Structure formats: C-alpha cells, structure tokens
Amino acid sequence: MAKKKFVIGCFDDEAVLFPAVKKVRTAGYKIHDVYTPFAVHGLDHAMGLRETSLHTAGFIYGITGTTTALSCISWIFTKDWPLNIGGKPHFALPAWIPITFELTVLFAAVGMVLTFCYLCQLAPFVKKHHFHARSTDDLFVMVIECTDKTNTDDLQAFLTSGGAVETNVQVAEEGWWLGRYDQNEMPFETKEIVAA
Amino acid sequence: MHLKYESQLREPLVYGDKNYHQVTEDIVRPIEAKPTRLWYIGFYIAVCLLLFGVYAIYRDVTYGIGQWNLNKTVGWGWDITNFVWWVGIGHAGTLISAILLLFRQGWRTGVNRAAEAMTIFAVMCAGQFPIWHMGRVWMAFFVLPYPNSRGPLWVNFNSPLLWDVFAISTYFTVSLLFWYSGLLPDFATVRDRAFTKLRKRLYGVAAFGWTGSTKHWQRHESLSLVLAGLSTPLVLSVHTIVSFDFATSVIPGWHTTIFPPYFVAGAIFSGFAMVQSLMVIIRKVFAMEDYITMGHIEAMNKVIVLTGSIVGVAYLTELFMGWYSQNKYEGYTFWYSRAYLFSPYGWSYWGMMACNVLSPQIFWFRKMRRNIFVTFFMSIIVNIGMWFERFVIIVTSLYRDYLPSSWSVYYSPTIWEIGFYTGTFGLFFTCFFLFAKYFPVIAIAEIKYVLKTTGEGYKGRMDKIEGESLETFVHDHAH
Amino acid sequence: MKEISLAEYKANPTEIREEREAELKPYGGLEKFEGQGTIYPVYDRPGIKWGMSVDLNSCNGCGACVVACNAENNVSVVGKPEVLRGHEMHWLRIDRYYSGDMENPNVVFQPLMCQHCDNAPCENVCPVAATNHSSEGLNQMTYNRCIGTRYCANNCPYKVRRFNWADYTGADSFPDNQEGIVNDVVLNMNDDLTRMVLNPDVTVRSRGVIEKCSFCAQRLQESKLNAKKESRPMVDSDLKVACQQSCPTNAINFGNANDKNSAISKVRVDNPNRQFYVLEQLHVLPNVTYLAKVRNQDEEKKEGAHA
C-alpha cells in the first residue's frame, strides 16, 4: 500500500454534484471516488462504474445451499444410515422441502454478506482514511486522484466553480489497515508515491 | 438530482423543514446525550425480570420439567405458547424491511430499524423456549446434523421440530445480517461525529470501516434488494413451518390445512401490534414525532385491521370445518373445548375472539387509526389476544384428544413457567433499552434518501413551483 | 372400544366388521386401507413382526398386567402427589368404559399400551430420531438419544408415552437433588438397597426422557437368542411378555404375526368378526389387535329378575 495525493471537493447538494461529476470527467480528471452520506441513485452511472454482480454471486450461493441440503439429506437417509421412521420411505422428498428452502436462503444471505464485506473491505477493526468527517453526515465528497502533471490549485478552482463548497489537497493512504478510530496510527510507510 | 416526484396528495413522511444535517442531529442526539432517569428505571426493571427468568430456568434445568404443571396429556403449555407468540411478534420487522421495500412503500424508512431490532430480540426470546423446554437441555446439540462418532447418528429430517431448528436459526441469522448491513452506514455517521474517544473507538469497530464510497453504496443497494427478496419468502416460511409443528400432527385441532396462511397472518398481526406499542413510546421519549408520524401509525393500523380480519375469517373457517367435516373428534375440539363458553378453557377462546377479531374493527374509522391512545391500547389488546390464540391452539387441542381415559386435569402454570415467560420480557426489554440508547433507532441514511421527495419542507417548495407554473399555464392559454 | 350384545352378535356376527368396513370405505376399505390411506408406498415388512392381541371378553380388569409391567420394566412408582398432577409413569394402563345405568353401570376394561404402530406418528416428529422402527415392527425408544421435547407424547393418539418429569430413579446427572421436589416414595429408588429390586436387563431411565412400552424388548431378545443357540427358529413357547405372563384369564396373546403358525396369527385369523384396532381410521396401523367384548344381556336380565 502506498500513499497518494488527492484533491478533494465537497458538495452540499446532490443536484450540484451530478453536473460537477460530469464536468470533472469531461475535463479528463480521474475521480478516485465520491463519498456520500446515503445511496445517491444514478451516481454510479454518472461516474462510469460498472454494475455490481453481487446478485449473481447470491444466486450461486443459493443454488449451492439447495444442492447441499438435498444431497446431504438424501445421502444420509438412503445410504449412510437408513432408518424406518413412521413407515415413510427412505427417500421422503416432500418432508425435506422446508429444510432445503431454509438452507438455500441461509447460504445465499450469508454468502452475499461475506462477499459484500470482502469486496468493500469491511470488517471489525478495519480502518480507512476518511477524506472528510462530514461525508457520512451531509457532504458529498468528490476525491480526485492527482498525477504528477496535475495542477492542484487549478483543479481546486475548477471544483469551486463547479459548485464545491470546500476544497483541499490531501496525501492519504488509499487502502485499509487494522486500527482504532480514536488514535492516529501511521499504518504504512510515509513515502509519497505519485501515480504516473 | 431526484427525478422521482411524489404527489402532493401524499402526506409527508418527514415533518418540519429539515436538511440532511438536521436529520443526523435529530436521530443521533439520544445516543450522545446521557440516559434519562426514566431509561435507568426501565432498564433496571427489565434486568430484574431477566434475572428472575434466569432463576426460573435454573430451577427447570436442575430439578426437571416437573417444576412446571405440564402432564402426560398436556405436554406443551406455556412454553410453546410463548415460543409461538414471540416468533409471531418477530415477523413484523422483516416484513416491514423486506416486503415493504419490494412494494416500494416509502413509509417503511421511519420504522424499519426499530422494527427489525424488535424482530431480532423477539426471535432471541422465542428461541429460549424450545431450548429450555427440553427434558435434557444439556443434550440440545443433538439436533445439529454433524458427522459424529455415534454411528454416525443423524437427525430426523422429517420432523417439523427439526424444520423449526433450521427455520428459526436461518430467520435469526438473515434478519441479523439484514439489520446490521443497514446499520453500517449509520454507525459510520455516529463514529464520524463522535467527540469522546471511547465512542469513536467503539463505533469505529461497529462501523467496519464504512466510508460511504459510491461503489460500496452500489453494492449495498444490491445487497439490500437481494436480502429483501430472500427475506420475503423466508418470513412467510418461518411461521408456516412453525404452524407445521401442529398441522402435520394427528391431534384434532392441530391437524388442519388452514394453519400456514392463518399463522402467517396472525404473526404479521401481532408483530405490527408490538411495533405500534414500541413506536408510540419511542417517538414520544426521543421526540421523534417528525420521523415516526401519524401517517406511519395509521398505515400500521391499516395492516392490523386487515390481518386481524384475515385471522377472524380463519377462526370462522375452522369452526365451519369442525362441523362440515363431520369428524366427531374435530367437532368436539372446535365446538366444545374451544367455542363453548362454559367449557374449561372456553374463556381463552372468547378472550381471543374479543381481542383479535372484534376489537381491531374500530380501526375502520380514520379517527381511531390516528388516535395515539387508542392505538397504544389496541396494540396491547391485540398481543394479549394473540397469546390467547396460541394458548387455545395448544392447550385446548391437547387436554382432550382421542381417548377420554387420558383427558387431562385442568392445566394452570406454576410460578416457574410464568417466571420463564416474564424472564423473556426482561431479555427483550433489556436488549431494547440498550438498542434505543446506543443504536440509531431510525435509519439515518434511508431517511436522507427519501427526504427530498417526501419531506414536508421540500414538498412545500415543490408546491409553490407547481402553483406558479399552473398560473403561467393558464395565463399563456387565456389568449 | 367396541362392545356388542350376544343377541346382536348371534343375529349379525359380522356387524363389527361391517362397521369398520364402512368407516374405512373412502380410504380403500379394510383390504386396501394400508396402501390407499397414504401418499407413500407400502413399507415392506419381512421377517419377524411382533404383534399382540387383547381379548376384551376375557379381561376382568384385575390389574395384574399393570403390576407385572411395572416390576419387569423398572417403571417408576411416583406417589400420590405426582399422580394427581398427571405424572404417572405406567407403560400399560387399563381404560374403563361405562355404559347403561349411571348407578349400576356396565364396564368394559381395555388394557392399553403402546400400539407399536407401523406408521407411528410419534416417530415422524422426533427431531433427533430417538424413536424409530425396528426391522421387527417394534416402535423403539432410544433413551440416551432422547432430548425430551415431548412432541412424541403430544402426537400419540393413544397417549401412552410417559415423560420423566423429575428424577424418579436416581439415575440423573444431578445426583440427590429431589429432596422436597418429589414424594418420599419415589426417593426410595435413590437408595442403594431398594435399587436392588430393579430388573438388571432393563435400562433405568433418567430425568427428562420419554419412555413407553417396549413389548418387553429384553424378553424378545432373550427368546431369539435362546432359539439361535439351539439352531432352530423361534416359536411361541420361547417367549412370554410380562403382561401376558401375569394375565390370569389369558386375555393377552403375543408373538410373531408374520408366522402363520403362531398363536397370535391364529387368534387374528379365527376372530375376524370381533377383531378391531383402536383409532384405526387414523391410518397409524397399530400392531395391537383387540377382540370386542360380547355381552350376554339376556342372561344378565334373567339374573336381575332372580335377585
């Protein structure tokens, strides 16, 4: 992991944010990310992010649950330890539907949440750099990654003209580390690397 | 850039002229303030009840289930009644958060967080009963199908009780995941504005390092939608499976095909009643009248009158079938053990009818639906009625079934059965008091999301624009 | 329970059979009831199939079978306070059915024990498969697998399953803690000397498990092994279950119902007109047949006239 230089522009209204995102992208800047206090619909498209395929993963997990349940139960009841329970046949499919359904849902839900946490690097004790404390309150924080050619002053002025209420420049770690939010650790080497 | 436009005829979901920051302030305020004296008193009472429950369970485990008044005929009494009652209550949260999300009911945002919390705590309480009602609870792990050195000896996948094990644990897990994934952004909000070190540290851990990145939000939305899609059949399946405990048996009064839909409707009914009881208190104590509005309360009362009537139809259908089937055992159960007022348990049947079917009908009147006191009173009545329903189903079916030689003596609970029940109230309210103090009781991010379309302030401004353009329109076309 | 007067029986000997036929008609009638009463295929039951028959004509309700069962199977004696709470542990009970004059009623005694149903409703509901069917048609109970949910007892239409509500036998994981909880009578079983009355062939059940009639599984096993030692098939004379052994009127017959030559088969074949099953219409397929009581009412009337 390494530190990078970013220019930050804060907006206080999503209606202002959308044209600004468009302008910044047309101007050729690379938007590192936009941090918002709630899910702003359409922002992912405006930023050119691809659709998430989390739901496909969920479907696969669900199918895995169905298969696991059916194959385990039928193996146990017909091969491993067949018992005469209440005169039912060993392969008593109707009686297995409830458990099969429950395991499908369980696998899909647990699998999806774990995948979500893995993809977004979310876990207890994980710490990340936060560009603005109010990005979880009422500010929409656009973070632009600088190259060695970027003129930060120009960029800040450009953002302000686009409606940003606050701009600044930060050198920050973009990855995650294990840390506490009440302390300021220096997680990795402090050497500044500017992206080419 | 909200393109969504909501009709001016709809009531605002958020009252007052709020901006995003004001929403954060309003909802996080109770977390940052010191607990009130009332909170301490309530918490203390809840913990006392919980401790009494723990002692009651200690007696039951050490000396045997003989501590309870169950007998060879009535093998389940208060224990399973309370189990089904709590599970039923635990249905509203997921219903509100999942089914109403799919139906795009905006009003769910005000109440979903607390309702989901209630669901999780209610399911925790419910889970206590099947565990501690076992004769040998120290062998409870036998219900888990894992490879073992006893044969290997597996579980009975055909048993409705095992279906219950899977249904309740899946429901609890999925509800918890759904609830917690929704809490992550709100914990981050609390973390980022925390001014004490401890709070920053603890909420820092709880928020899992949430940043609010657009990509994360995109995945979060996808996750919520799929979890809602999964939870919808799940929430219907859970009480269906609980009803299978009875419906798949051979006991008259239990062996009924109507049980699954009737149990699900009853579960929603009692769950909404419990949500009402809690919401009426929360909005008052935490001054959240702007977020949990009369509109919310009215909407939930509509659900109550609908589901209450469905349950009423089910009761009548059962009675009809008791006669129409011409099965003498079933007829006896429905027409004597239950519906005959002067039979030993007739009081519980008519208590159920009065609380569940007759009294909620007052919610056909708008004035009643929008009356706080009536709402609160009715929510308590409905939950009493639903407790009676489970008691009626379990005890009146068991105590006189096929062979009169085994008909039971009158079953009434001992102090330890009652203690166990009150203990779960202790558990529920202990958890709920902690939740209300330390968790954002309203989903902050979701309120912000609907604020611009449904907030009173924004709606007002929209109204003005609408009015102006209408005048311009008329003006332009006058000539 | 079925009862018929001698006069009626003479007039129409097949009345009981017709009654059963009429009741089962929608489900295939007597012949096809097993196959047509269910969505599942018929379970094949080769080899030994234990069966019992109780003749209600012979039973005079003396209760010897109950006592014999208690002694043979280490059934707990729980004392009056527990019995009043419906906690008695008898595996075998005698049901009484009254008819006629309230002041001087007629009584029919019906010994009722586990019916060892082929489609046992108790087995289906046990979450841990602690109760299941043996290949010899026994509804068997595995005490050390039982976790005590009591669902099987609830779902038994005959209510013959018994739950150990307290530590009646001193066999519990929590030793000697029942002082003041159960009656002193019960505590006798916690004493080393009195415990010597226990039958060493039968497991003593601990608190929190279900128990019920096992058709004296220990005796069945012994008889099979004795026959095996002598390298011959088992015959009726090898075996007597406790209630059968103690019955002074020989009302109880027991044996291998799949063996055409056994007494139980003969009783069933010879008495098609008196035979019935308790709660037959539930399709639980019990293995205990009862022979209906035929009451000679004319004689009773005559006796009444003399008195």
Side-chain angles (χ1 to χ4, degrees), chain B residues 62 66 68 70 72 75 159 245, chain C residues 85 87-88 125 150-151 177:
Chain B
T62 322
W68 299 349
L70 301 172
K72 66 186 162 71
S159 163
D245 283 350
Chain C
R85 297 176 68 202
H87 287 184
E88 73 267 25
V125 298
R150 304 187 291 287
Y151 196 179
N177 69 352

Side-chain angles (χ1 to χ4, degrees), chain C residues 238-283:
Chain C
D238 286 333
L239 152 81
K240 264 193 162 147
V241 291
C243 49
Q244 177 192 15
Q245 186 182 19
S246 65
C247 182
T249 58
N250 283 330
I252 300 176
N253 255 301
F254 185 85
N256 177 6
N258 273 359
D259 176 1
K260 293 272 179 291
N261 300 316
S262 67
I264 180 80
S265 299
K266 283 180 184 152
V267 168
R268 286 181 183 179
V269 172
D270 293 348
N271 294 285
N273 293 337
R274 280 208 294 144
Q275 184 168 309
F276 71 97
Y277 293 96
V278 181
L279 301 176
E280 187 178 16
Q281 73 279 15
L282 296 181
H283 200 269

Side-chain angles (χ1 to χ4, degrees), chain B residues 365-382:
Chain B
F365 301 101
R366 182 179 157 91
K367 244 201 166 114
M368 294 291 138
R369 289 200 299 268
R370 296 181 77 89
N371 183 317
I372 288 291
F373 294 103
V374 172
T375 300
F376 187 72
F377 180 71
M378 278 309 304
S379 69
I380 305 285
I381 291 290
V382 164

Side-chain angles (χ1 to χ4, degrees), chain C residues 123-137:
Chain C
E123 293 173 9
N124 285 319
V125 298
C126 176
V128 293
T131 181
N132 51 49
H133 236 63
S134 83
S135 53
E136 299 173 356

Side-chain angles (χ1 to χ4, degrees), chain B residues 61-63 66 68-72 75-76 79 133 135-136 154 156 159 245 249-251 401-402 405, chain C residues 85-88 93 95 123-127 144-151 154-155 159 165 177 207 282:
Chain B
V61 173
T62 322
Y63 300 114
W68 299 349
N69 256 345
L70 301 172
N71 56 49
K72 66 186 162 71
W76 290 344
D79 47 358
H133 96 298
R136 301 200 303 163
W154 300 98
N156 178 8
S159 163
D245 283 350
S249 79
V250 299
I251 304 302
D401 61 349
Y402 291 105
S405 62
Chain C
R85 297 176 68 202
H87 287 184
E88 73 267 25
R93 64 167 193 262
D95 286 354
E123 293 173 9
N124 285 319
V125 298
C126 176
N144 46 11
R145 179 68 172 172
C146 178
I147 54 175
T149 65
R150 304 187 291 287
Y151 196 179
N154 285 342
N155 207 25
K159 290 286 176 286
W165 299 99
N177 69 352
R207 167 163 72 79
L282 296 181

Side-chain angles (χ1 to χ4, degrees), chain B residues 91-345:
Chain B
H91 274 60
T94 312
L95 183 97
I96 290 176
S97 48
I99 299 184
L100 298 187
L101 177 78
L102 296 183
F103 284 161
R104 299 192 180 276
Q105 292 293 306
W107 61 270
R108 59 178 278 285
T109 48
V111 291
N112 68 341
R113 172 67 44 74
E116 282 173 50
M118 185 213 70
T119 287
I120 288 162
F121 304 146
V123 175
M124 276 163 60
C125 292
Q128 305 304 316
F129 290 96
I131 293 175
W132 301 108
H133 96 298
M134 286 183 197
R136 301 200 303 163
V137 69
W138 48 96
M139 294 300 182
F141 63 91
F142 278 176
V143 298
L144 304 174
Y146 62 97
N148 54 66
S149 55
R150 291 174 221 104
L153 183 54
W154 300 98
V155 295
N156 178 8
F157 294 103
N158 300 344
S159 163
L161 274 194
L162 199 80
W163 305 345
D164 260 358
V165 171
F166 279 87
I168 304 290
S169 53
T170 301
Y171 185 54
F172 179 71
T173 312
V174 175
S175 303
L176 192 67
L177 292 175
F178 200 3
W179 184 60
Y180 203 85
S181 63
L183 267 168
L184 287 176
D186 291 357
F187 276 146
T189 303
V190 182
R191 173 196 69 201
D192 290 345
R193 48 175 280 137
F195 43 83
T196 68
K197 279 199 128 185
L198 184 68
R199 196 177 299 144
K200 214 168 183 66
R201 183 177 176 185
L202 293 180
Y203 287 100
V205 174
F208 284 21
W210 177 265
T211 55
S213 151
T214 306
K215 186 72 195 173
H216 295 185
W217 274 119
Q218 185 200 39
R219 292 187 186 124
H220 191 269
E221 289 277 282
S222 164
L223 179 73
S224 308
L225 195 64
V226 179
L227 283 185
L230 288 171
S231 303
T232 302
L234 179 66
V235 73
L236 301 180
S237 83
V238 173
H239 227 57
T240 300
I241 289 177
V242 170
S243 80
F244 284 167
D245 283 350
F246 307 108
T248 61
S249 79
V250 299
I251 304 302
W254 283 11
H255 183 81
T256 317
T257 46
I258 199 177
F259 267 13
Y262 148 33
F263 266 53
V264 170
I268 295 165
F269 183 52
S270 64
F272 269 86
M274 190 58 129
V275 174
Q276 289 284 38
S277 313
L278 296 173
M279 286 305 151
V280 167
I281 297 171
I282 284 185
R283 73 196 285 272
K284 191 79 210 155
V285 173
F286 294 137
M288 299 237 178
E289 281 98 338
D290 285 348
Y291 298 96
I292 304 168
T293 64
M294 261 313 169
H296 288 96
I297 287 176
E298 188 184 0
M300 289 196 278
N301 279 337
K302 283 178 185 166
V303 177
I304 287 180
V305 69
L306 171 71
T307 49
S309 306
I310 295 177
V311 168
V313 170
Y315 295 157
L316 297 181
T317 311
E318 272 188 331
L319 272 185
F320 172 74
M321 291 312 291
W323 164 78
Y324 186 65
S325 69
Q326 287 295 302
N327 179 317
K328 53 182 185 281
Y329 301 106
E330 214 171 274
Y332 184 85
T333 301
F334 285 109
W335 287 96
Y336 179 80
S337 299
R338 294 188 184 174
Y340 178 55
L341 182 60
F342 301 106
S343 71
Y345 296 101

Side-chain angles (χ1 to χ4, degrees), chain A residues 73-131:
Chain A
I73 300 176
S74 40
W75 174 73
I76 287 167
F77 266 14
T78 58
K79 286 267 173 254
D80 191 45
W81 200 265
L83 284 172
N84 175 357
I85 294 167
K88 281 206 174 84
H90 297 311
F91 192 81
L93 192 62
W96 303 343
I97 290 171
I99 292 182
T100 309
F101 170 77
E102 296 299 328
L103 281 189
T104 307
V105 171
L106 185 68
F107 273 53
V110 172
M112 269 186 83
V113 170
L114 289 180
T115 313
F116 168 74
C117 287
Y118 171 76
L119 290 175
C120 300
Q121 294 125 21
L122 296 171
F125 305 104
V126 156
K127 192 175 174 183
K128 290 171 191 161
H129 177 74
H130 295 269
F131 289 94

